[in-house]
Amino acid sequence: QSALTQPASVSGSPGQSITISCTGSSSDVGGYDYVSWYQQIPGKVPKVMIYHVTKRPSGVSDRFSGSKSGNTASLTISGLQAEDEADYYCGSYTRRSTWLFGGGTKLTVL
Amino acid sequence: QVQLVESGGGVVQPGRSLRLSCAASGFAFSTYGMHWVRQAPGMGLEWVAVIAYDGSNQFYADSVKGRFTISRDNSRNTLYLQMNSLRREDTAVYYCVKAPPGPNYYMDVWGPGTTVTVSS
């Protein structure tokens, strides 16, 4: 079980939009609409921001959105704010009834 | 409100065993699947194991299969992780994580974690 592939880091200025990709295979990301995204601020526990590819839990800003094409899922944050600076992880259910996370992406707000 | 509190972490020698517990409150524990997820120092998240609401099914990451056992006691609202044959690479913060209700495939509430250090 290899981890899903994410860029190690992305950055953007306040007000801009950024996109983080998450690449897996047809056995996980591509095979199910069960991709989720988690935000982890240093020293804090992860928080779900997107689930089932595109759905937002109540209380999560609509600046966060998700999508998927083939074996690659994406998280887009629009109107970037300083408070968005964190590590972001994608996660996916797999064909083996297990879960995989991506390696994580560090978002820096310039 | 929903609360998960892990315990049982500590320093243990390679090859030894440790059992983690997770006390749940604020929700109907016996009706939800539960996960363990770990995070090594300075590293990313790694899913460890999941158990069905009634304990009928368990699944494991390849890295722990055969060494770790996830279980639950619904009468005590408690989740467990029995860790045997521990290795240095098992050093991590271990999080107890609740699954959402229904056919939903993500992790919605995380405990604060308990730290396991495998070292001689």
Side-chain angles (χ1 to χ4, degrees), chain B residues 77-95:
Chain B
N77 289 348
T78 303
L79 177 72
Y80 301 102
L81 184 68
Q82 178 67 43
M83 304 185 294
N84 299 332
S85 303
L86 281 161
R87 305 167 179 168
R88 286 184 171 79
E89 55 264 36
D90 295 318
T91 294
V93 174
Y94 284 74
Y95 296 104

Side-chain angles (χ1 to χ4, degrees), chain B residues 38-41 46 88-94 114-118:
Chain B
R38 68 185 181 183
Q39 187 168 32
E46 181 185 13
R88 286 184 171 79
E89 55 264 36
D90 295 318
T91 294
V93 174
Y94 284 74
T114 187
T115 300
V116 173
T117 303
V118 183

